[in-house]
Amino acid sequence: MLKINNLNLYINNKQLVNNFNLEINDGEIHVLMGKNGIGKSSIAKSLMGIEDYIVEGKYIYNNEDITNMCISERAKKGIYLINQTPMQIEGVTNAEMLRVALGEVTGKNVNIFEFNKELEQVCKSLELDKSFIHREINVGCSGGERKKIELMHMWMLKPSFIILDEIDSGLDVDAIKLVSNSLKEYHKKYNPSILIITHSETLINSFDEYIVHVLDNGKIVQSGNKDLAKEILNKGFKKISGANIISEN
């Protein structure tokens, strides 16, 4: 599915990531953890194709080099990012964006009746009022509403590789549970690969199996299973980063 080979990331002449390597297979869930400001979000954004970064190394997706592809090309191939603060887009409704995007991905005309029916069902499952379908994207929405809208887009676009950059940020306990259940259901139905950046035990524990990686000094210094995540959440990173390496990428 995805291979990140010898990745170095720079912004404003500052190196954020140093010789970072990661491989994610079909259907696997990987969790990237590390202290704040250490480069996790930069990896997520550059993987999506955001152009602020100078990239050295390669992103190989389904055996194709996508390192120099633009955001729209990567999105067409099934890569989808939900970041901490989804942007608002004035003048474009959720329904309009989704119809155009689906047409681009499938190359077919969208059946309006089936589209509306599915979209209403998705809104219901996310406890999102149907009025959001025809509202401008994220305009005037709370943080929790924005995350639900991003999930609505996910369910309609059906990506095969999902990047979650602290999707739990700013959510209350009930909202995190709803988001977690929605992601678990989506994984069960479509079996995408998922890369999660989070500090939320609720979010990652909604999945039965996942692989945890600890980022320190720009690279992965330790990998393990949910026991490693539990240890980090209980003890913090000081006793983890750079020590007792299980498998270094």
Side-chain angles (χ1 to χ4, degrees), residues 162-176:
I162 301 167
I163 311 161
L164 304 172
D165 184 9
E166 297 196 27
I167 189 175
D168 50 291
S169 176
L171 300 183
D172 60 30
V173 174
D174 290 336
I176 291 176

Side-chain angles (χ1 to χ4, degrees), residues 139-154:
V139 174
C141 297
S142 67
E145 288 170 340
R146 291 189 184 204
K147 301 297 175 62
K148 290 182 180 181
I149 289 168
E150 293 294 301
L151 289 176
M152 173 179 71
H153 296 170
M154 177 194 75

Side-chain angles (χ1 to χ4, degrees), residues 195-214:
L195 176 61
I196 303 174
I197 298 169
T198 186
H199 300 294
S200 170
E201 186 174 9
T202 301
L203 179 60
I204 58 179
N205 283 344
S206 64
F207 299 101
D208 296 327
E209 294 184 7
Y210 52 85
I211 302 168
V212 178
H213 308 284
V214 179

Side-chain angles (χ1 to χ4, degrees), residues 26-232:
D26 290 348
E28 286 184 344
I29 299 169
H30 288 240
V31 180
L32 186 61
M33 306 184 79
K35 294 176 286 187
N36 290 330
I38 207 165
K40 304 184 301 296
S41 292
S42 296
I43 293 169
K45 291 175 181 177
S46 67
L47 178 54
M48 192 67 241
I50 294 174
E51 298 176 353
D52 295 342
Y53 302 94
I54 295 175
V55 178
E56 295 177 353
K58 290 186 180 298
Y59 290 121
I60 307 297
Y61 183 70
N62 287 333
N63 298 316
E64 182 179 7
D65 188 346
I66 64 168
T67 309
N68 297 315
M69 285 186 181
C70 65
I71 295 174
S72 60
E73 290 175 325
R74 299 185 196 206
K76 287 180 182 179
K77 293 184 179 297
I79 301 175
Y80 186 73
L81 167 67
I82 303 179
N83 59 34
Q84 297 178 48
T85 310
M87 65 184 297
Q88 65 179 32
I89 303 175
E90 297 181 0
V92 181
T93 69
N94 290 291
E96 289 169 341
M97 182 280 290
L98 287 169
R99 283 200 301 269
V100 172
L102 284 169
E104 287 288 323
V105 171
T106 64
K108 301 176 181 179
N109 292 326
V110 176
N111 183 300
I112 299 300
F113 175 77
E114 293 179 358
F115 171 84
N116 288 334
K117 183 179 179 181
E118 182 178 3
L119 195 47
E120 288 181 2
Q121 290 174 340
V122 169
C123 286
K124 183 178 180 180
S125 70
L126 293 170
E127 299 179 8
L128 194 63
D129 192 274
K130 290 190 294 184
S131 64
F132 283 92
I133 293 174
H134 299 292
R135 283 178 57 174
E136 296 171 305
I137 299 172
N138 293 326
V139 174
C141 297
S142 67
E145 288 170 340
R146 291 189 184 204
K147 301 297 175 62
K148 290 182 180 181
I149 289 168
E150 293 294 301
L151 289 176
M152 173 179 71
H153 296 170
M154 177 194 75
W155 275 98
M156 295 300 293
L157 296 173
K158 300 176 179 59
S160 54
F161 187 91
I162 301 167
I163 311 161
L164 304 172
D165 184 9
E166 297 196 27
I167 189 175
D168 50 291
S169 176
L171 300 183
D172 60 30
V173 174
D174 290 336
I176 291 176
K177 186 175 181 180
L178 186 148
V179 166
S180 299
N181 288 339
S182 181
L183 288 166
K184 182 177 181 179
E185 183 63 27
Y186 185 88
H187 187 264
K188 181 179 179 181
K189 186 171 183 177
Y190 296 110
N191 196 39
S193 300
I194 304 178
L195 176 61
I196 303 174
I197 298 169
T198 186
H199 300 294
S200 170
E201 186 174 9
T202 301
L203 179 60
I204 58 179
N205 283 344
S206 64
F207 299 101
D208 296 327
E209 294 184 7
Y210 52 85
I211 302 168
V212 178
H213 308 284
V214 179
L215 183 68
D216 191 36
N217 292 321
K219 64 178 67 177
I220 292 174
V221 296
Q222 187 170 350
S223 297
N225 57 23
K226 60 175 59 181
D227 291 334
L228 176 58
K230 185 176 182 180
E231 184 179 359
I232 291 170

